[in-house]
Amino acid sequence: MAKRIQFRTHGGPEVLEYVDFEPASPGPKEVLVRNKAIGVNFIETYFRTGLYPAPSMPSGLGNEGAGVVEAVGSEVTHVKAGDRVVYGTGPLGSYSEFHMIPAANLAKLPDDISFEQGAAVMLKGLTVQYLFRQTYEIRPEEIILFHAAAGGVGSIACQWANAMGVKLIGTVSSPEKAAHAKANGAWEVIDYSKEDVAKRVLELTDGKKVSVVYDGVGKDTWETSLNCLELRGLLVSFGNASGPVAGVNLGILASKGSLYVTRPTLGSYANSPQALQAMADEVFGMVASGKVKVDDIRKYALKDAGQAHTDLSARRTTGSMILVP
């Protein structure tokens, strides 16, 4: 029997169960992947707690992984058994030795990218790709603000921005995380536990503020993010690590300078096999060139997914986290 992580009820990391299951055979447009490494992302805590609804219960968990094609459905032509593949857009259930994936959600994993690198970078890298290259195209010498700059997405964002000649100001919660973000290429770092973020941004920009804020934190940083934006600036709210932004009065956007806000999701950008592969190719190109490094990978055994969630929620981690079956 194969092993996977599932949950029957919402709650803390203790609801995660390590259970036996029998993998099914692929449908016509499906691919069964034998996972070699599995990405861990904050969004999975939303499903576990019930902030985001799972399609059914009991539910698997996780959307990201890298491995080898075990079997393909009758209508699948672009991958075959034995191919190295990677995925980052689900469906739920990647915390498993085997995962059934719609063929359209798979990308080829280049030979020069390891399974661990693929699982560590796919979802986070795709996120940075659409944030920086599609939601708002950042430009050389532009000053931007990126919250949680020492986390998994933030670590990649710091490197990617630096490679593009963009001046990224990162927010962090400790001196250790500040050092981590700076090592990854952040132009400046603000420790929000000790400094007023909006005031410091004003100082760093000579009173101009920034054109765009990337905010994956949510409720706790909502107003701070708005206060850091220049006239007609854009807030890209792409996550809810501190809880969802709710009860928004749109008038605040007018009063703070005719601001814009968008709430993008990866699925709206990687919305076809061609778009997904093109985005993945750019991510892996950045890794292969050395512009984005994913060497800082924290590894847990699959059975220890609960501990991984405990560490993630407590913000004890930097860089990327993976589970190893």
Side-chain angles (χ1 to χ4, degrees):
M1 295 289 281
K3 291 285 191 179
R4 72 171 184 172
I5 296 292
Q6 69 175 31
F7 60 101
R8 299 176 182 274
T9 184
H10 297 121
E14 70 280 356
V15 304
L16 300 181
E17 304 172 336
Y18 185 56
V19 300
D20 293 326
F21 82 109
E22 187 65 44
S25 297
K29 297 181 180 181
E30 293 181 322
V31 175
L32 182 65
V33 176
R34 180 189 290 269
N35 284 327
K36 298 294 187 179
I38 301 152
V40 177
N41 300 281
F42 209 94
I43 191 172
E44 282 119 48
T45 69
Y46 303 162
F47 285 102
R48 192 200 71 225
T49 61
L51 177 61
Y52 288 178
S56 62
M57 299 289 272
S59 175
L61 196 59
N63 291 290
E64 179 182 36
V68 175
V69 173
E70 184 77 7
V72 302
S74 59
E75 297 180 21
V76 177
T77 58
H78 71 292
V79 295
K80 63 184 184 303
D83 282 354
R84 305 173 81 250
V85 292
V86 63
Y87 56 93
T89 56
L92 282 180
S94 66
Y95 286 21
S96 178
E97 292 180 346
F98 292 89
H99 193 28
M100 193 73 72
I101 301 289
N105 292 8
L106 284 173
K108 293 286 190 71
L109 182 67
D111 290 339
D112 56 354
I113 305 294
S114 71
F115 292 116
E116 292 184 352
Q117 288 177 316
V121 78
M122 182 63 170
L123 182 57
K124 302 172 188 68
L126 291 178
T127 299
V128 175
Q129 196 280 342
Y130 85 73
L131 290 176
F132 283 1
R133 305 278 288 134
Q134 299 186 72
T135 304
Y136 178 94
E137 289 196 61
I138 56 176
R139 303 176 300 274
E141 296 302 315
E142 187 170 16
I143 303 176
I144 68 174
L145 180 66
F146 203 103
H147 289 297
V153 174
S155 296
I156 294 172
C158 288
Q159 296 178 70
W160 200 309
N162 184 58
M164 294 179 67
V166 173
K167 297 178 178 179
L168 183 148
I169 302 171
T171 69
V172 297
S173 61
S174 69
E176 294 77 18
K177 290 187 175 183
H180 180 86
K182 287 287 283 186
N184 277 321
W187 176 62
E188 293 287 351
V189 180
I190 302 171
D191 184 342
Y192 64 79
S193 69
K194 300 176 181 178
E195 301 175 272
D196 182 308
V197 173
K199 181 180 178 181
R200 184 65 180 133
V201 165
L202 204 62
E203 294 171 350
L204 291 170
T205 60
D206 295 325
K208 297 177 182 178
K209 302 187 180 181
V210 297
S211 53
V212 61
V213 175
Y214 293 100
D215 189 342
V217 178
K219 180 182 65 175
D220 289 354
T221 49
W222 163 253
E223 191 152 0
T224 294
S225 293
L226 296 178
N227 289 338
C228 293
L229 285 167
E230 66 183 27
L231 194 71
R232 300 191 301 277
L234 173 65
L235 169 55
V236 182
S237 178
F238 68 96
N240 313 288
S242 66
V245 177
V248 175
N249 176 2
L250 289 178
I252 196 173
L253 303 180
S255 66
K256 291 184 180 294
S258 299
L259 303 179
Y260 294 86
V261 176
T262 184
R263 181 61 175 88
T265 64
L266 174 58
S268 297
Y269 291 89
N271 58 353
S272 72
Q274 295 77 20
L276 173 62
Q277 189 66 59
M279 292 169 67
D281 288 345
E282 185 168 4
V283 171
F284 294 132
M286 294 291 285
V287 175
S289 70
K291 294 176 181 177
V292 169
K293 294 180 172 60
V294 285
D295 302 326
D296 182 18
I297 302 174
R298 188 162 180 165
K299 304 174 189 177
Y300 297 79
L302 176 60
K303 65 181 178 63
D304 295 328
Q307 184 60 54
H309 274 222
T310 297
D311 293 345
L312 184 63
S313 296
R315 303 189 181 186
R316 298 174 187 153
T317 65
T318 57
S320 297
M321 302 168 65
I322 63 169
L323 304 175
V324 180

